[in-house]
Amino acid sequence: MMLLATLGAAAATAPTMTWGDAVATFRGEKERAERCVRTLKRFRAADAEVVDDADRRYTEARADVDAVISRLIVAMRDEGSDPALATLEPTLRAGVEAREAFCIGVDEEIEDPDAPDDPAKNLGDTLGFVGDVLQAFVDLLGLYRDEVESTRQTIETQLEAARWRTFGSITP
């Protein structure tokens, strides 16, 4: 389903999620991923094999989530370019699942006392919001295209801030 095809129906109904809510979800994923990297580096930094494997897994999850963010930013900049939800959702879902698998692996590797009690519930909650977050961007993209440039720039800046840092740049 193309984003453009959904804009007409979306504009007729009030969005259930704001830009801030949607961006906060991306930022939450970033924070969870970086917590796992910091934890791994704090407890297993001396184990090069574990760190290299963690770097690879984190980078794969980061690539998926950042690809979605990049496509949303392009949609904000270019009024003629609408991302297809059908392609964004599986990519974001794969990134969230990869981040969760990465974090579970880190927690198991080091028996992190700060790990969530029920990681499967956390993943289920997050995956349940993936479609909602993307739909919010669909709904709001059409509305904000008519806004002033400063509003669009603010949203773009918030999306940029939700990008994940590289594995090497995260310190314990």
Side-chain angles (χ1 to χ4, degrees), residues 63-94:
D64 286 336
V65 174
D66 280 358
V68 172
I69 290 172
S70 293
R71 292 187 58 205
L72 292 170
I73 289 171
V74 167
M76 288 293 301
R77 289 181 185 165
D78 183 7
E79 293 180 23
S81 172
D82 291 320
L85 261 184
T87 61
L88 288 181
E89 188 167 349
T91 304
L92 183 56
R93 189 171 295 275

Side-chain angles (χ1 to χ4, degrees), residues 10 49 60 66 70-71 78 83 116 129 134 137 139 144 152 157:
E49 186 176 322
E60 288 171 4
D66 280 358
S70 293
R71 292 187 58 205
D78 183 7
F129 285 108
L134 291 176
F137 275 99
D139 294 348
Y144 279 94
R152 289 194 306 268
T157 300

Side-chain angles (χ1 to χ4, degrees), residues 94-161:
V96 170
E97 289 173 345
R99 191 271 311 150
E100 187 66 20
F102 166 70
C103 288
I104 288 170
V106 167
D107 293 340
E108 289 173 353
E109 183 75 35
I110 60 153
E111 298 180 21
D112 182 8
D114 296 327
D117 290 335
D118 186 357
K121 180 182 182 300
N122 183 26
L123 178 61
D125 291 346
T126 302
L127 290 177
F129 285 108
V130 166
D132 293 341
V133 168
L134 291 176
Q135 188 61 53
F137 275 99
V138 169
D139 294 348
L140 295 166
L141 186 60
L143 300 174
Y144 279 94
R145 280 201 174 133
D146 296 331
E147 292 292 328
V148 294
E149 177 61 26
S150 63
T151 301
R152 289 194 306 268
Q153 186 60 44
T154 297
I155 295 164
E156 183 178 325
T157 300
Q158 291 173 351
L159 283 170
E160 287 288 353

